[in-house]
Amino acid sequence: MLADDHETRTARSLRHTERLVRLCPPPGEGRTVNWSAVERELCLTLPADYKRLVETYGGGLFAGVLRLLEPGCPDAMYDLVAQRTEREEILTGLWEAGEEKPSELREDDVELVPWGFEEDGGHFLYWLVRPGVEPEEWTVILNEGRGPLWESHPISCSQFLLEVVSGTTTSFYFTDLDEVVDPEDRNGFVPNARILGR
């Protein structure tokens, strides 16, 4: 891929983080992360928009329901690296028990990397990582928390978050937020630092 193409895709993905910041102001408690160390541990390069989200917000809860995982969180449930390992084990167990894989995961050498989850239903949000596909082009794929259904969105994680917070999402699992989220939480973010009391 040409450097200009990569820069264009990166800039496009970062536009969504800028719009999200205007709609959902960060708490001023972003993070400094050694991304090189995290990416070595994961054996992959993470999307620029995800890095910007973590640096701006830290991990935490958007719109009262959608949790952004972060590397280095002291609680493994909210840690990006720990959840990658845990989700791999859980999904492998489900598929070995006979649950059907979504068609996207039947391709060779694809993998799932979790980046978020929905608090109440336990729906996990993943990046669908395909060989030769740049991180800025990864698809968001959602697995419902208590069932076999999957939902695919060919957008970045920051665009997915923006659409959930703004109420424009097409995701079945987030279209009724106004019925379940307090209005004051709709455009809010609560950082893990506050939730975990650290």
Side-chain angles (χ1 to χ4, degrees), residues 76-151:
M77 184 63 196
Y78 309 131
D79 180 78
L80 178 76
V81 177
Q83 279 305 307
R84 182 183 190 193
T85 301
E86 183 175 316
R87 299 310 303 171
E88 280 179 1
E89 293 171 1
I90 289 169
L91 290 172
T92 297
L94 288 172
W95 293 325
E96 287 174 353
E99 186 169 303
E100 188 174 349
K101 280 186 180 183
S103 59
E104 296 92 339
L105 298 182
R106 294 185 206 130
E107 300 172 21
D108 290 338
D109 298 325
V110 298
E111 58 182 304
L112 292 174
V113 177
W115 62 267
F117 69 95
E118 190 269 333
E119 286 280 288
D120 295 327
H123 315 310
F124 259 85
L125 294 146
Y126 300 90
W127 288 295
L128 180 63
V129 181
R130 292 182 167 108
V133 176
E134 292 291 317
E136 280 63 46
E137 297 296 310
W138 290 349
T139 293
V140 169
I141 186 167
L142 179 149
N143 178 219
E144 67 174 337
R146 297 180 182 92
L149 298 181
W150 292 78
E151 189 182 79

Side-chain angles (χ1 to χ4, degrees), residues 47-59:
D49 68 316
Y50 170 76
K51 295 177 193 178
R52 177 76 56 86
L53 286 170
V54 172
E55 291 167 355
T56 304
Y57 291 93

Side-chain angles (χ1 to χ4, degrees), residues 163-180:
E163 290 179 2
V164 168
V165 171
S166 66
T168 61
T169 184
T170 58
S171 170
F172 172 80
Y173 299 95
F174 294 99
T175 53
D176 64 350
L177 282 191
D178 289 332
E179 298 172 19
V180 296

Side-chain angles (χ1 to χ4, degrees), residues 149-160:
L149 298 181
W150 292 78
E151 189 182 79
S152 184
H153 299 269
I155 58 176
S156 66
C157 67
S158 59
Q159 184 175 350
F160 189 92

Side-chain angles (χ1 to χ4, degrees), residues 6-89:
H6 175 73
E7 289 173 14
T8 299
R9 288 182 175 133
T10 299
R12 190 181 311 128
S13 74
L14 292 176
R15 278 200 317 258
H16 300 296
T17 63
E18 294 162 5
R19 291 177 57 203
L20 184 62
V21 164
R22 288 194 298 273
L23 182 63
C24 180
E29 301 171 23
R31 295 257 329 273
T32 300
V33 176
N34 181 342
W35 291 112
S36 295
V38 171
E39 291 172 335
R40 272 194 308 274
E41 189 169 2
L42 293 170
C43 297
L44 53 78
T45 300
L46 293 167
D49 68 316
Y50 170 76
K51 295 177 193 178
R52 177 76 56 86
L53 286 170
V54 172
E55 291 167 355
T56 304
Y57 291 93
L61 194 62
F62 283 91
V65 295
L66 207 164
R67 174 83 60 171
L68 179 68
L69 301 177
E70 64 179 324
C73 184
D75 188 321
M77 184 63 196
Y78 309 131
D79 180 78
L80 178 76
V81 177
Q83 279 305 307
R84 182 183 190 193
T85 301
E86 183 175 316
R87 299 310 303 171
E88 280 179 1
E89 293 171 1

